Amino acid sequence: MVAPQLQSVMADVDQEIRALEHAQDRGALTLESAVGESLRLANRLMLIFAEAMGHPLEGLDAGADPLEVFRVFVKGEPSLNAIRDNVRELVYYGNCLTANRTDALPVRPQAMAVRTIRHIYLYLRSRAIKEYGLEGA
């Protein structure tokens, strides 16, 4: 049985990613917003998935340090390390922006950030379908 909260958050995050994808297609997405929103959405996904697994991440929210959220997120479930490189990639983009080093970013970093959060979403969605009976997200 899927928790209603998991179902709802997964559907909301999917819609937010779609909005990022559409903005990217229209050329209306800045690098800062692509990276910032992708990091926030990654945190939302990790937080709700951890809650569904029965170990909510106390004291952390969507605005927390994504590496801290990830560290607590994978504790006790090593298979969740599958998204580690995706989270690190988004953090790297954010660090490049903070350091004013856009020259260190890949080609089309906005598209890469959006694609990376989509990968995280799809992995956790497939896990949620298999483990929690998630439908329609």
Side-chain angles (χ1 to χ4, degrees):
M1 168 95 178
V2 65
Q5 184 79 2
L6 176 63
Q7 183 81 33
S8 174
V9 170
M10 293 293 286
D12 288 347
V13 168
D14 182 41
Q15 289 303 312
E16 291 185 59
I17 295 170
R18 286 178 196 268
L20 289 173
E21 291 166 339
H22 291 303
Q24 174 61 36
D25 290 345
R26 293 188 323 271
L29 185 63
T30 67
L31 178 56
E32 292 79 7
S33 63
V35 172
E37 285 300 303
S38 294
L39 286 166
R40 184 184 63 77
L41 292 172
N43 276 355
R44 281 190 73 197
L45 288 169
M46 290 187 285
L47 290 165
I48 193 62
F49 203 85
E51 186 176 309
M53 291 186 311
H55 65 81
L57 308 182
E58 300 296 327
L60 298 171
D61 61 20
D65 176 351
L67 294 177
E68 180 63 19
V69 174
F70 179 78
R71 184 185 67 76
V72 178
F73 169 70
V74 298
K75 195 173 271 186
E77 185 61 47
S79 67
L80 293 173
N81 272 307
I83 66 167
R84 177 185 61 217
D85 289 340
N86 294 121
V87 173
R88 286 181 176 173
E89 181 178 352
L90 292 173
V91 169
Y92 172 76
Y93 293 175
N95 290 343
C96 286
L97 288 172
T98 300
N100 199 25
R101 287 292 316 271
T102 57
D103 61 306
L105 291 168
V107 176
R108 300 189 64 226
Q110 292 98 322
M112 292 299 293
V114 173
R115 179 158 290 161
T116 300
I117 189 57
R118 177 57 77 188
H119 284 286
I120 293 169
Y121 168 80
L122 290 173
Y123 177 78
L124 292 178
R125 176 181 178 256
S126 66
R127 291 280 302 256
I129 289 169
K130 182 178 178 183
E131 296 173 21
Y132 303 106
L134 183 74
E135 298 174 1

